Amino acid sequence: MPLPSHPGIFTAVERQCADSEPTPPLRLFDGSDRGGVPLSLVRARQLLYDRTVCSATRMDLWRQVAERARFVGDGSDWPTAVVWLGLPGLRKTAFNIASRCRAERSDVEAELVTCYLEELTKVEAPHPDPGGAVLRAACSRTWSVWRKARLEIAVDDVESAGGPRDEPGARGYWQADYEPITSRTGLSAPVRITVPAHRVEGVRLGALAQAWGAADATAGVGYSGRGRQVAKISLRRMGRST
């Protein structure tokens, strides 16, 4: 089976477990042998994700996997093999997080493996679907980590970062320029804000100014011939989103 080209924990584990048969092996209790039938690592992984296999059989196998995860410090190959058995349930999430959050694939994989191993320690005997619960929890926790991390990512091009997004139903976007009169106090730098059209249409400039925290400075934008000009706001519709 060809291995992924990107570096990371998943690739390293796949290579390490290519011909591995850790002991004691997982056993299949199908009634043919009271002591269970020994399973190869490859066959065990097939059964763990085969929905046509009896749920009780997969449930028992996942419990055995959780037990093997505790085989540490004795030179056993099981800690790595346990990760290998979980890869089919983690790989899609790793791809989605890396692509949608623009995260390093190796970092995402490391977080997934950590969460997966931690969730295995919580497996309880009466749980009807321990494997599904472990994988769902590990993937959910990792998504949470990267959603928070994404909010903290700094960008060099602020204008581009605030530009139009490819959102369903968007029909172009609006661009507003706020240009205050130069003064020693208050807001003095021009501000350009770009938002999707469907968020702006039907909203008055006053509401926009309030939402952007510039309501106080723009209270007198409507020039009536008296007083002094404090700022100028221009709102224009730009081209369609691509």
Side-chain angles (χ1 to χ4, degrees):
M1 178 180 67
L3 296 177
S5 58
H6 63 268
I9 291 180
F10 287 11
T11 298
V13 170
E14 288 284 5
R15 288 171 177 164
Q16 187 170 342
C17 293
D19 300 311
S20 176
E21 290 299 340
T23 55
L26 297 176
R27 292 183 173 273
L28 174 64
F29 293 92
D30 58 358
S32 60
D33 189 320
R34 181 174 297 183
V37 179
L39 292 172
S40 68
L41 205 59
V42 171
R43 180 55 180 159
R45 189 159 83 166
Q46 292 172 345
L47 293 175
L48 286 172
Y49 296 94
D50 187 349
R51 292 293 179 179
T52 65
V53 174
C54 172
S55 60
T57 297
R58 289 188 291 111
M59 178 176 62
D60 181 70
L61 285 175
W62 274 112
R63 288 173 183 166
Q64 292 182 57
V65 172
E67 292 175 358
R68 300 301 192 278
R70 302 184 181 94
F71 288 12
V72 295
D74 58 356
S76 172
D77 292 333
W78 267 116
T80 303
V82 165
V83 174
W84 186 82
L85 291 171
L87 295 187
L90 303 175
R91 189 169 283 112
K92 183 178 180 180
T93 296
F95 173 81
N96 287 338
I97 294 177
S99 60
R100 295 181 187 179
C101 298
R102 298 181 182 178
E104 290 293 333
R105 178 67 179 263
S106 57
D107 294 337
V108 175
E109 290 179 358
E111 185 67 30
L112 276 168
V113 169
T114 298
C115 293
Y116 165 70
L117 292 175
E118 289 177 353
E119 291 300 324
L120 275 176
T121 65
K122 304 176 185 179
V123 170
E124 299 178 357
H127 199 289
D129 183 18
V134 165
L135 295 170
R136 285 191 298 270
C139 293
S140 177
R141 287 176 53 187
T142 306
W143 265 115
S144 296
V145 168
W146 287 101
R147 284 193 183 102
K148 293 178 181 177
R150 186 179 185 183
L151 297 176
E152 301 172 358
I153 296 176
V155 295
D156 294 327
D157 188 352
V158 177
E159 184 172 340
S160 174
R165 301 288 191 269
D166 295 330
E167 299 186 25
R171 297 180 179 177
Y173 56 96
W174 287 88
Q175 179 173 289
D177 292 333
Y178 176 86
E179 300 178 9
I181 301 301
T182 303
S183 65
R184 294 182 179 179
T185 61
L187 184 65
S188 60
V191 177
R192 172 173 292 175
I193 301 175
T194 305
V195 290
H198 70 284
R199 293 185 182 176
V200 179
E201 291 175 352
V203 182
R204 295 185 178 185
L205 284 177
L208 290 176
Q210 183 175 4
W212 296 334
D216 293 338
T218 60
V221 170
Y223 184 62
S224 62
R226 299 188 303 273
R228 62 186 181 84
Q229 182 180 0
V230 297
K232 179 176 66 175
I233 288 182
S234 62
L235 182 67
R236 57 183 174 274
R237 186 162 187 168
M238 308 300 290
R240 292 178 177 274
S241 299
T242 56

